[in-house]
Amino acid sequence: MQLSAEPIIYGLIFISVLVLVEGIYLTVFGKSISLNNRVNRRLELLEKGTAREEVMEQLRKEMHQHLNVKGIPLYSLLASKAQKANIAFSPRALVLIMVMLSALAFLGLTVGTAASLPVRALVAVVMGFGGVYVWINGKAKKRMKLVEEQLPDAVELMVRSLRVGHPFSSAVSMVAKEVADPLGSEFGMIADEAAYGREISESLKDLAERMDMQDLRFLAVAVTIQQQSGGNLAEILEGLARVIRARFKLFRRVKAITAEAKWSGTFLSGFPIVVIVMINVIKPDYYDSVKETIFFVPAALFVAAFLIINVFFMKMMVNIKV
């Protein structure tokens, strides 16, 4: 039995690309961009002696830099997710990282495989861009999940602050000081902008659109309506906190109910690919008798198309809207 290590080498190179991206990010920015810090990034910058205005400008630049360059080819696919993940790398730095990782992947493919030059170049570019995309997508999902979990507590903290007589701007500042990242720095930006004259409702709308989160839109609308027509903001926000918690509970319940179906879909989508890889590893010459025929390439493309369609259909079947 002849073994081929090439499929394993492809997988190891892609994993290495992901590890390199994370390593570069942590090397450049260290723990300052970690979402596990008890002190949020804005307060950490202020504690270092940086002026409040400089901190605000720095954070605003990071929060809007990716959407400002959506016109760059290919980068538009990354811009929205990079914005939600609040990646501290500039767009130019991310493009350079993709080029560097593609070059390293090409070098690894050249050393470890016998693929032709066009195939190595194409796979290297896909690995460089795809690795960065997968990394950013994971960061965005993690950050959005944390924001969803922190939001009800932040709203209830504002309610308690309002009930003891503080103005709404002070309630927002309280959230900025007491809540960890990512929501702590986001509300700190709102507090800073309010201190320099911007309407809090406008800042909340901007945050809701940037994060593309329905619960934040509810918060922005509630504050806007109260400012225009009056009313007891503490009671409004208390009701909103209950609604957000109920929605979050329902999302968790739906997630638990559909977990088995999602894992089944993932297995059915990934099993054919694993089988193909294992066949190439265990018996590399398995397709030698048919790959020179005129039907081999069309059949391979036909199977690949159905595998891709299967992935989309499996995802649609378990993507329940709440």
Side-chain angles (χ1 to χ4, degrees):
M1 182 175 64
Q2 184 181 3
L3 295 179
S4 173
E6 285 200 6
I8 299 175
I9 291 173
Y10 281 103
L12 291 176
I13 292 175
F14 185 73
I15 294 172
S16 300
V17 168
L18 294 176
V19 173
L20 277 172
V21 179
E22 182 69 16
I24 294 170
Y25 197 56
L26 292 176
T27 301
V28 174
F29 297 101
K31 294 183 177 180
S32 65
I33 43 80
S34 175
L35 297 179
N36 299 321
N37 290 349
R38 293 183 178 180
V39 178
N40 62 57
R41 186 161 181 243
R42 171 179 166 271
L43 292 181
E44 188 175 8
L45 291 172
L46 291 172
E47 288 179 356
K48 291 180 180 179
T50 309
R52 185 179 184 185
E53 186 176 0
E54 293 179 7
V55 172
M56 183 180 71
E57 288 300 321
Q58 179 180 344
L59 295 179
R60 286 187 67 181
K61 181 181 178 181
E62 292 177 3
M63 290 174 181
H64 295 90
Q65 61 182 344
H66 298 286
L67 291 181
N68 292 337
V69 291
K70 288 188 69 174
I72 298 177
L74 289 180
Y75 194 81
S76 58
L77 300 174
L78 292 173
S80 178
K81 292 187 179 296
Q83 198 65 59
K84 291 177 182 177
N86 195 29
I87 299 298
F89 279 134
S90 66
R92 180 178 297 180
L94 274 179
V95 173
L96 290 175
I97 288 172
M98 284 189 284
V99 173
M100 182 194 71
L101 293 176
S102 297
L104 291 175
F106 180 80
L107 179 61
L109 292 170
T110 302
V111 174
T113 69
S116 62
L117 179 61
V119 172
R120 279 181 281 139
L122 178 61
V123 173
V125 171
V126 171
M127 283 187 175
F129 180 83
V132 173
Y133 181 86
V134 170
W135 176 73
I136 290 177
N137 186 51
K139 291 283 186 183
K141 286 183 176 180
K142 182 179 179 181
R143 190 167 186 267
M144 294 288 288
K145 183 179 178 181
L146 284 173
V147 171
E148 290 176 349
E149 292 178 354
Q150 289 177 317
L151 187 57
D153 294 331
V155 174
E156 290 178 349
L157 182 59
M158 286 190 287
V159 170
R160 291 194 292 270
S161 181
L162 290 170
R163 283 182 170 168
V164 298
H166 293 157
F168 185 61
S169 58
S170 297
V172 173
S173 298
M174 184 71 68
V175 173
K177 293 178 181 178
E178 299 296 332
V179 177
D181 273 340
L183 202 59
S185 290
E186 294 286 355
F187 271 78
M189 281 292 303
I190 295 174
D192 290 341
E193 290 176 345
Y196 284 97
R198 189 182 186 189
E199 289 289 337
I200 292 182
S201 58
E202 293 297 322
S203 297
L204 285 171
K205 288 178 184 177
D206 181 62
L207 172 61
E209 292 304 319
R210 184 157 35 83
M211 300 293 289
D212 191 22
M213 187 178 297
Q214 194 64 37
D215 292 336
L216 283 171
R217 291 193 180 98
F218 290 155
L219 176 60
V221 169
V223 173
T224 301
I225 292 175
Q226 192 276 338
Q227 288 181 345
Q228 293 177 353
S229 60
N232 191 328
L233 184 58
E235 290 184 2
I236 296 173
L237 294 183
E238 185 179 20
L240 177 61
R242 286 198 298 267
V243 170
I244 294 174
R245 286 196 183 279
R247 278 167 48 84
F248 193 71
K249 184 178 179 180
L250 180 59
F251 288 148
R252 287 291 180 89
R253 185 177 181 183
V254 170
K255 185 178 180 180
I257 293 173
T258 59
E260 182 180 357
K262 287 183 178 180
W263 277 107
S264 298
T266 302
F267 175 79
L268 292 175
S269 299
F271 183 73
I273 299 174
V274 174
V275 170
I276 293 172
V277 172
M278 292 303 298
I279 288 174
N280 280 276
V281 170
I282 297 173
K283 193 173 178 57
D285 58 345
Y286 184 79
Y287 296 105
D288 285 355
S289 60
V290 295
K291 70 179 181 181
E292 300 298 333
T293 64
I294 60 174
F295 299 106
F296 182 75
V297 174
L301 293 175
F302 183 77
V303 171
F306 265 86
L307 284 175
I308 294 173
I309 293 172
N310 168 73
V311 172
F312 283 105
F313 267 90
M314 287 294 180
K315 189 172 182 179
M316 290 168 57
M317 289 173 64
V318 297
N319 187 22
I320 300 175
K321 299 294 183 181
V322 180

